[in-house]
Amino acid sequence: MIWFWSIFVSLVIVWYIVITVLVGIRGAGDIKKLVRDSKNSHDKN
């Protein structure tokens, strides 16, 4: 039974890391786009 929980907890930790990295990458892309759009909007005025 200990093997089940060890594998389960390990998979949960890996899943959490993967999701955190993906959200961080997508969030960084959104922030870059926001800054770029903000600069373009500021330059037009």
Side-chain angles (χ1 to χ4, degrees):
M1 193 65 163
I2 187 84
W3 291 107
F4 170 78
W5 288 111
S6 298
I7 292 169
F8 181 76
V9 169
S10 298
L11 290 175
V12 168
I13 291 170
V14 168
W15 177 251
Y16 180 78
I17 291 169
V18 167
I19 295 299
T20 302
V21 168
L22 289 176
V23 168
I25 290 170
R26 293 190 74 176
D30 288 344
I31 291 171
K32 287 179 185 178
K33 183 180 181 299
L34 179 69
V35 169
R36 183 176 53 241
D37 292 347
S38 177
K39 286 181 181 179
N40 290 340
S41 175
H42 181 68
D43 291 342
K44 290 179 183 178
N45 292 333

Coordinates of all heavy atoms in Angstrom, one line a residue:
M1 N 0.8 -1.2 0.0 CA 0.0 0.0 0.0 C 0.9 1.3 0.0 O 0.5 2.3 -0.5 CB -0.9 0.0 1.2 CG -2.0 1.0 1.1 SD -3.1 0.6 -0.2 CE -4.5 1.5 0.2
I2 N 2.0 1.2 0.6 CA 2.9 2.3 0.6 C 3.4 2.7 -0.7 O 3.6 3.9 -1.0 CB 4.1 2.1 1.6 CG1 4.9 3.4 1.8 CG2 5.0 1.0 1.1 CD1 4.4 4.3 2.8
W3 N 3.5 1.7 -1.6 CA 3.9 2.0 -3.0 C 2.9 2.8 -3.7 O 3.2 3.7 -4.5 CB 4.2 0.7 -3.8 CG 5.5 0.0 -3.2 CD1 5.5 -1.1 -2.5 CD2 6.8 0.4 -3.4 NE1 6.8 -1.4 -2.2 CE2 7.6 -0.5 -2.7 CE3 7.4 1.5 -4.0 CZ2 9.0 -0.4 -2.7 CZ3 8.8 1.6 -4.0 CH2 9.6 0.7 -3.3
F4 N 1.6 2.5 -3.5 CA 0.5 3.2 -4.2 C 0.6 4.7 -3.8 O 0.5 5.5 -4.6 CB -0.8 2.6 -3.8 CG -2.0 3.4 -4.2 CD1 -2.4 3.4 -5.5 CD2 -2.6 4.2 -3.3 CE1 -3.5 4.2 -5.9 CE2 -3.7 5.0 -3.7 CZ -4.1 5.0 -5.0
W5 N 0.7 5.0 -2.5 CA 0.7 6.3 -2.0 C 1.9 7.1 -2.5 O 1.9 8.3 -2.8 CB 0.5 6.4 -0.5 CG -0.9 6.0 -0.2 CD1 -1.3 4.9 0.5 CD2 -2.1 6.8 -0.5 NE1 -2.7 4.9 0.6 CE2 -3.2 6.0 0.0 CE3 -2.3 7.9 -1.2 CZ2 -4.5 6.4 -0.2 CZ3 -3.7 8.4 -1.3 CH2 -4.7 7.6 -0.8
S6 N 3.1 6.4 -2.5 CA 4.3 7.0 -3.0 C 4.2 7.4 -4.4 O 4.6 8.6 -4.8 CB 5.5 6.1 -2.8 OG 5.7 5.8 -1.4
I7 N 3.7 6.5 -5.2 CA 3.5 6.8 -6.7 C 2.5 7.9 -6.9 O 2.7 8.9 -7.6 CB 3.2 5.6 -7.4 CG1 4.3 4.6 -7.4 CG2 2.7 5.9 -8.9 CD1 4.0 3.2 -8.0
F8 N 1.4 7.8 -6.1 CA 0.3 8.8 -6.2 C 0.8 10.2 -5.9 O 0.6 11.2 -6.6 CB -0.9 8.4 -5.3 CG -2.0 9.3 -5.4 CD1 -2.9 9.3 -6.5 CD2 -2.3 10.2 -4.4 CE1 -3.9 10.2 -6.6 CE2 -3.3 11.1 -4.4 CZ -4.2 11.1 -5.5
V9 N 1.5 10.3 -4.8 CA 2.0 11.6 -4.3 C 3.0 12.2 -5.3 O 3.0 13.4 -5.6 CB 2.6 11.6 -2.9 CG1 3.3 12.8 -2.5 CG2 1.4 11.3 -1.9
S10 N 3.9 11.3 -5.8 CA 4.9 11.7 -6.8 C 4.2 12.3 -8.1 O 4.6 13.3 -8.6 CB 5.8 10.6 -7.2 OG 6.5 10.1 -6.0
L11 N 3.2 11.6 -8.5 CA 2.4 12.0 -9.7 C 1.7 13.3 -9.5 O 1.7 14.2 -10.4 CB 1.5 10.9 -10.2 CG 2.1 9.7 -10.8 CD1 1.0 8.6 -11.1 CD2 2.9 10.0 -12.0
V12 N 1.2 13.5 -8.3 CA 0.5 14.8 -8.0 C 1.5 15.9 -8.0 O 1.2 17.0 -8.5 CB -0.2 14.6 -6.7 CG1 -0.7 16.0 -6.2 CG2 -1.4 13.7 -6.8
I13 N 2.7 15.7 -7.4 CA 3.7 16.7 -7.4 C 4.2 17.1 -8.8 O 4.3 18.3 -9.2 CB 4.9 16.3 -6.5 CG1 4.4 16.3 -5.0 CG2 6.1 17.2 -6.7 CD1 5.4 15.6 -4.1
V14 N 4.4 16.1 -9.6 CA 4.8 16.3 -11.0 C 3.7 17.1 -11.8 O 4.0 18.0 -12.5 CB 5.1 15.0 -11.7 CG1 5.3 15.2 -13.2 CG2 6.4 14.4 -11.2
W15 N 2.4 16.7 -11.6 CA 1.3 17.4 -12.2 C 1.3 18.8 -11.8 O 1.1 19.7 -12.6 CB 0.0 16.6 -11.9 CG -1.2 17.3 -12.5 CD1 -2.1 18.0 -11.8 CD2 -1.6 17.4 -13.9 NE1 -3.1 18.5 -12.7 CE2 -2.8 18.1 -13.9 CE3 -1.0 16.8 -15.0 CZ2 -3.4 18.3 -15.1 CZ3 -1.6 17.1 -16.2 CH2 -2.8 17.8 -16.3
Y16 N 1.4 19.1 -10.5 CA 1.4 20.5 -10.0 C 2.5 21.3 -10.6 O 2.3 22.4 -11.0 CB 1.6 20.4 -8.5 CG 1.5 21.8 -7.9 CD1 0.4 22.5 -7.7 CD2 2.7 22.4 -7.5 CE1 0.3 23.8 -7.2 CE2 2.7 23.7 -6.9 CZ 1.5 24.3 -6.8 OH 1.5 25.6 -6.2
I17 N 3.7 20.7 -10.7 CA 4.9 21.4 -11.3 C 4.6 21.7 -12.8 O 4.8 22.9 -13.3 CB 6.2 20.6 -11.1 CG1 6.6 20.6 -9.7 CG2 7.3 21.2 -12.0 CD1 7.7 19.6 -9.3
V18 N 4.1 20.8 -13.5 CA 3.8 21.0 -15.0 C 2.8 22.1 -15.2 O 3.0 23.0 -16.0 CB 3.3 19.6 -15.6 CG1 2.7 19.9 -17.0 CG2 4.5 18.6 -15.7
I19 N 1.7 22.0 -14.4 CA 0.7 23.0 -14.5 C 1.2 24.4 -14.1 O 0.9 25.4 -14.8 CB -0.6 22.7 -13.7 CG1 -1.2 21.4 -14.2 CG2 -1.6 23.8 -13.6 CD1 -1.7 21.5 -15.6
T20 N 2.0 24.5 -13.1 CA 2.5 25.8 -12.7 C 3.5 26.4 -13.7 O 3.4 27.6 -14.0 CB 3.3 25.6 -11.3 OG1 2.4 25.0 -10.4 CG2 3.9 26.9 -10.9
V21 N 4.3 25.5 -14.3 CA 5.2 26.0 -15.4 C 4.4 26.5 -16.6 O 4.7 27.5 -17.2 CB 6.2 24.9 -15.8 CG1 7.0 25.3 -17.0 CG2 7.2 24.7 -14.6
L22 N 3.4 25.7 -17.0 CA 2.6 26.1 -18.2 C 1.8 27.4 -17.9 O 1.8 28.3 -18.8 CB 1.6 25.0 -18.5 CG 2.2 23.7 -19.1 CD1 1.1 22.7 -19.3 CD2 2.8 24.0 -20.4
V23 N 1.3 27.6 -16.8 CA 0.6 28.8 -16.4 C 1.6 30.0 -16.4 O 1.3 31.1 -16.9 CB -0.2 28.7 -15.1 CG1 -0.7 30.0 -14.6 CG2 -1.4 27.7 -15.3
G24 N 2.8 29.7 -15.9 CA 3.8 30.8 -15.8 C 4.2 31.2 -17.2 O 4.4 32.4 -17.5
I25 N 4.4 30.3 -18.1 CA 4.8 30.6 -19.5 C 3.7 31.4 -20.2 O 4.0 32.4 -20.8 CB 5.2 29.3 -20.2 CG1 6.5 28.7 -19.7 CG2 5.3 29.6 -21.7 CD1 6.8 27.3 -20.2
R26 N 2.5 30.9 -20.1 CA 1.4 31.6 -20.8 C 1.2 33.0 -20.1 O 0.9 33.9 -20.8 CB 0.1 30.8 -20.7 CG 0.3 29.5 -21.5 CD -1.0 28.8 -21.7 NE -1.8 29.5 -22.6 CZ -3.0 29.2 -23.0 NH1 -3.5 28.0 -22.6 NH2 -3.7 29.9 -23.9
G27 N 1.3 33.1 -18.8 CA 1.2 34.4 -18.2 C 2.3 35.3 -18.6 O 2.0 36.5 -18.8
A28 N 3.5 34.9 -18.7 CA 4.6 35.7 -19.2 C 4.3 36.2 -20.6 O 4.5 37.4 -20.9 CB 5.9 35.0 -19.1
G29 N 3.8 35.4 -21.5 CA 3.4 35.8 -22.8 C 2.3 36.8 -22.8 O 2.4 37.8 -23.6
D30 N 1.4 36.7 -21.9 CA 0.3 37.7 -21.8 C 0.8 39.0 -21.3 O 0.4 40.1 -21.8 CB -0.8 37.2 -20.9 CG -1.6 36.0 -21.5 OD1 -1.6 35.9 -22.7 OD2 -2.4 35.4 -20.7
I31 N 1.7 39.0 -20.4 CA 2.3 40.2 -19.8 C 3.1 40.9 -20.9 O 3.0 42.1 -21.0 CB 3.1 39.9 -18.6 CG1 2.2 39.5 -17.4 CG2 4.0 41.1 -18.2 CD1 2.9 39.0 -16.2
K32 N 3.9 40.2 -21.7 CA 4.7 40.8 -22.8 C 3.7 41.4 -23.8 O 4.0 42.6 -24.2 CB 5.5 39.7 -23.5 CG 6.7 39.3 -22.7 CD 7.5 38.2 -23.4 CE 8.6 37.7 -22.6 NZ 9.4 36.6 -23.3
K33 N 2.6 40.8 -24.1 CA 1.7 41.3 -25.1 C 1.0 42.6 -24.5 O 0.9 43.6 -25.2 CB 0.6 40.3 -25.4 CG -0.4 40.8 -26.4 CD -1.4 39.7 -26.7 CE -2.4 40.2 -27.7 NZ -3.2 41.3 -27.4
L34 N 0.7 42.6 -23.2 CA 0.1 43.7 -22.6 C 1.0 44.9 -22.6 O 0.6 46.0 -22.9 CB -0.3 43.4 -21.1 CG -0.9 44.5 -20.3 CD1 -2.3 44.8 -20.8 CD2 -1.0 44.0 -18.8
V35 N 2.3 44.7 -22.3 CA 3.3 45.8 -22.3 C 3.5 46.3 -23.7 O 3.5 47.5 -23.9 CB 4.6 45.3 -21.7 CG1 5.7 46.3 -21.9 CG2 4.5 45.0 -20.2
R36 N 3.6 45.4 -24.7 CA 3.8 45.8 -26.1 C 2.6 46.6 -26.6 O 2.7 47.7 -27.1 CB 4.0 44.6 -27.0 CG 4.2 44.9 -28.4 CD 4.5 43.7 -29.3 NE 3.5 42.7 -29.1 CZ 3.7 41.4 -28.6 NH1 4.9 41.1 -28.2 NH2 2.7 40.6 -28.5
D37 N 1.4 46.2 -26.3 CA 0.2 46.9 -26.6 C 0.1 48.3 -25.9 O -0.4 49.3 -26.5 CB -1.1 46.1 -26.3 CG -1.2 44.9 -27.2 OD1 -0.5 44.8 -28.2 OD2 -2.1 44.0 -26.9
S38 N 0.5 48.3 -24.7 CA 0.5 49.5 -23.9 C 1.5 50.6 -24.5 O 1.1 51.7 -24.7 CB 0.8 49.3 -22.5 OG 0.9 50.5 -21.7
K39 N 2.6 50.1 -24.9 CA 3.6 51.0 -25.6 C 3.1 51.5 -26.9 O 3.2 52.7 -27.2 CB 5.0 50.3 -25.8 CG 5.7 50.1 -24.5 CD 7.1 49.4 -24.8 CE 7.8 49.1 -23.5 NZ 9.1 48.4 -23.7
N40 N 2.5 50.6 -27.7 CA 1.9 51.0 -29.0 C 0.8 52.0 -28.8 O 0.7 53.0 -29.6 CB 1.4 49.8 -29.8 CG 2.5 48.9 -30.3 OD1 3.7 49.3 -30.3 ND2 2.2 47.7 -30.6
S41 N 0.0 51.8 -27.8 CA -1.1 52.8 -27.5 C -0.6 54.1 -27.1 O -1.1 55.2 -27.5 CB -2.0 52.2 -26.5 OG -3.0 53.1 -26.1
H42 N 0.5 54.1 -26.3 CA 1.1 55.3 -25.8 C 1.8 56.1 -26.9 O 1.7 57.3 -26.9 CB 2.1 55.0 -24.7 CG 2.8 56.2 -24.1 ND1 2.1 57.1 -23.3 CD2 4.0 56.7 -24.1 CE1 2.9 58.1 -22.9 NE2 4.1 57.8 -23.4
D43 N 2.4 55.4 -27.8 CA 3.1 56.0 -29.0 C 2.1 56.7 -29.9 O 2.5 57.7 -30.5 CB 3.9 55.0 -29.7 CG 5.1 54.5 -28.9 OD1 5.5 55.2 -27.9 OD2 5.7 53.4 -29.3
K44 N 0.9 56.2 -30.0 CA -0.1 56.8 -30.9 C -0.6 58.1 -30.4 O -1.1 58.9 -31.2 CB -1.2 55.8 -31.2 CG -0.8 54.6 -32.0 CD -2.0 53.7 -32.2 CE -1.6 52.4 -32.9 NZ -2.7 51.5 -33.1
N45 N -0.6 58.3 -29.1 CA -1.2 59.5 -28.5 C -0.2 60.6 -28.4 O 0.8 60.9 -28.4 CB -1.7 59.2 -27.1 CG -3.0 58.4 -27.2 OD1 -3.7 58.4 -28.2 ND2 -3.3 57.6 -26.2

